[in-house]
Amino acid sequence: MKNIPNTQLDENMLKYLTDNFGEKNVSVSNTDRAAYSRDLWPLSTIWMLHENRMPYPPDAIVWAENEEQIAKLLKLANEKKFPIIAYGAGSGVCGGTLPLYGGVILDIKKMDKIVEINDKSLTVRVQTGIIGQHLEHELNHKGYTMGHFPSSIYCSTVGGYLAARSAGQLSTKYGKIEDMVLSLRVVLADGTIVETTSTPRSATGPNFTQLFVGSEGTLGIITEAVLKIYPLPESRIFRGVLFKDIASGIEAIRRIMRSGVTPAAVRLYDELDTILVGAKKEESVEAPIQYEPEEEKEDLVKKVTHKIFDGLQNILLGMPGVAGKLAESLHGKCLLIITFEGDSKLTETELKIALEECAKAGGEDKGEEPGRRWWENRYNVSYNMSKVFWRGSFTDTIDVAATWDKIEPLYHAVRKAVSPYGLIMAHFSHAYIHGCSIYFTVISRGRSEEDAAKRYKKIWDAALAVCADFGATVSHHHGIGLSKAQWLKKELGGLMDVYRSLKQVLDPNNILNPGKMGLTEEEIDIAALTSKK
């Protein structure tokens, strides 16, 4: 592994860490420091694959077992002025845990206990180091669900969900993580441990639970949470509906949400994503959806598009502008997946109403198979993305959201802006009565590591500039980290000064995850980060 400088922590500080955490819970090995020098931010993956290097390693990693250890660590960090970066499972995609200034990575996965399941109030108190799938499995065993199913559920923690305001695939019914949390325990920068009141609603001034949700470890370390849970649904039903174009599909979703029914999941794929959803690819985590209407089986455009991922990727992505224009000129049908879950009498009625609204928008009911196949294989796309990197390209997802009046023009504007730099597709999901999220996927490549980093930045700048113009949010559920920090400043405007003031009060020595969330006064050019050798 290249470019792993020696740790900057002196012997006395390392001794303090081992005395308080135990030797087994402290590491300064180059292997561990390299592993913890990144999350799944595509730019850091580009660094690793091009030159097998990690330019921003931490000085040490500690694995906490309780709040008292964390409190002592933060007191030492304030005294010695070194950074602390809270770390869950490292599945973030925005560079949120990148130790730009060294310091200590604080891994909390050993704090993974389910403290209490409250049957009467339908809540669970849990330590935030627990992996999402482990929590869901234990809840299912007791007859409950949290309803939170992000694509990263096998490799992400509750703390990560709370830190970045994550959304699961059933957010239309259950909400995002900020809708699920009732209270938090937090260790502040000075080592003080605080807890907010667990109650369904309150009028006692500002909501301090929500203050820490989404702060990405910049204001405190979240150690415990009380979350809402629900009885396991007795019924889960699926449908696939085909539309002639994206506008018809968007209108159908808007009508469904306006009607008052609550789907568990809504996913509308644009023309290109519909083709890829129907592509017959090799199995990985699960078998992919196989959706291909009989009349379109011999579609030449489909076959050519499939070849992008089966051998022609090098040719097309070597000319990203050509690939982008190919996608822009593509015209075809769009697949909508809808699911309902809960009481069987309710789900059947809700599906009936939803299909009526789809028909009014010109939708063609394709039965339950497309929806069921999506449910059974809903995680496989994320686990296939690594293949794009190994073929020499890079990929990323852009999660934006807006109100219904802006959704369709925003979609077309982002595609047009990004197409010169790569292949772009999208699906519409996380739908609410007032609007929804657009989840863009972009694939491109560069001639070198620096060229790839510059192209990566151009893609993000092009997409988020459009979002700023439309008044859309630059992140629906992936958070901010490093990659969107400058755009967060533009979205918040004058409120960014309020955030900085709050940071100054809670963390005057700036030890908590410095350099993230746009809190630094200097501009951090993410493309320029690549130049550090």
Side-chain angles (χ1 to χ4, degrees), residues 60-110:
I61 301 96
V62 298
W63 289 268
E65 295 181 341
N66 55 63
E67 288 177 335
E68 288 71 26
Q69 288 178 329
I70 296 174
K72 289 180 180 178
L73 176 63
L74 294 184
K75 289 176 181 177
L76 176 67
N78 269 295
E79 178 186 342
K80 301 296 184 180
K81 308 296 189 296
F82 62 84
I84 301 293
I85 299 98
Y87 195 98
S91 65
V93 292
C94 299
T97 61
L98 191 71
L100 275 181
Y101 309 106
V104 172
I105 291 285
L106 172 64
D107 188 317
I108 61 169
K109 283 193 293 296
K110 288 192 174 184

Side-chain angles (χ1 to χ4, degrees), residues 13 19 71 76-77 107 111 144 195 204 206 210 221 269 285 315 339-340 342 359 387 429 464 483 493 501 510:
M13 292 164 69
D19 286 347
L76 176 67
D107 188 317
M111 296 174 62
Y144 303 107
E195 182 170 3
T204 52
Q210 293 298 327
I221 309 296
Y269 298 91
V285 179
I315 297 174
T339 75
F340 292 89
K387 297 175 183 178
S429 56
L464 298 190
S483 68
S501 298
N510 195 26

Side-chain angles (χ1 to χ4, degrees), residues 148-353:
H148 195 65
F149 298 96
S151 294
S152 63
I153 191 169
Y154 294 113
C155 57
S156 53
T157 63
V158 167
Y161 301 159
L162 292 163
R165 291 187 176 267
S166 75
Q169 293 173 336
L170 305 188
S171 66
T172 298
K173 179 177 178 67
Y174 296 103
K176 294 174 72 237
I177 195 68
E178 62 262 33
D179 304 305
M180 301 176 177
V181 60
L182 293 180
S183 68
L184 297 174
R185 282 180 67 85
V186 180
V187 184
L188 301 180
D190 64 359
T192 302
I193 300 172
V194 297
E195 182 170 3
T196 61
T197 303
S198 184
T199 179
R201 288 289 186 272
S202 174
T204 52
N207 188 325
F208 284 96
T209 296
Q210 293 298 327
L211 174 69
F212 292 102
V213 175
S215 62
E216 300 190 24
T218 61
L219 301 180
I221 309 296
I222 303 172
T223 58
E224 202 169 284
V226 175
L227 303 164
K228 302 173 186 176
I229 58 175
Y230 303 87
L232 274 173
E234 68 173 47
S235 169
R236 181 176 287 133
I237 54 179
F238 309 91
R239 229 22 165 238
V241 183
L242 203 61
F243 291 89
K244 65 178 181 179
D245 53 31
I246 202 71
S248 302
I250 292 172
E251 176 62 11
I253 300 174
R254 189 187 71 82
R255 295 180 70 103
I256 290 170
M257 299 310 301
R258 193 181 180 105
S259 72
V261 302
T262 308
V266 173
R267 293 173 79 88
L268 172 68
Y269 298 91
D270 71 6
E271 295 94 339
L272 181 55
D273 219 351
T274 294
I275 289 172
L276 298 180
V277 165
K280 186 174 182 180
K281 297 176 283 190
E282 68 275 11
E283 293 188 8
S284 57
V285 179
E286 301 105 36
I289 301 170
Q290 295 175 347
Y291 178 74
E292 189 171 306
E294 289 293 326
E295 66 273 15
E296 296 184 18
K297 280 187 176 179
E298 299 304 316
D299 190 305
L300 181 60
V301 176
K302 270 195 171 189
K303 291 184 177 181
V304 171
T305 309
H306 293 173
K307 288 294 183 181
I308 294 174
F309 297 88
D310 295 330
L312 293 183
Q313 178 175 278
N314 288 347
I315 297 174
L316 282 173
L317 294 181
M319 302 178 291
V322 174
K325 287 183 179 179
L326 173 65
E328 275 286 290
S329 62
L330 186 66
H331 297 287
K333 295 184 178 180
C334 300
L335 177 64
L336 171 66
I337 300 296
I338 48 177
T339 75
F340 292 89
E341 66 177 46
D343 181 274
S344 59
K345 295 185 291 296
L346 287 176
T347 56
E348 290 169 6
T349 300
E350 287 184 312
L351 177 61
K352 179 177 180 294
I353 294 170

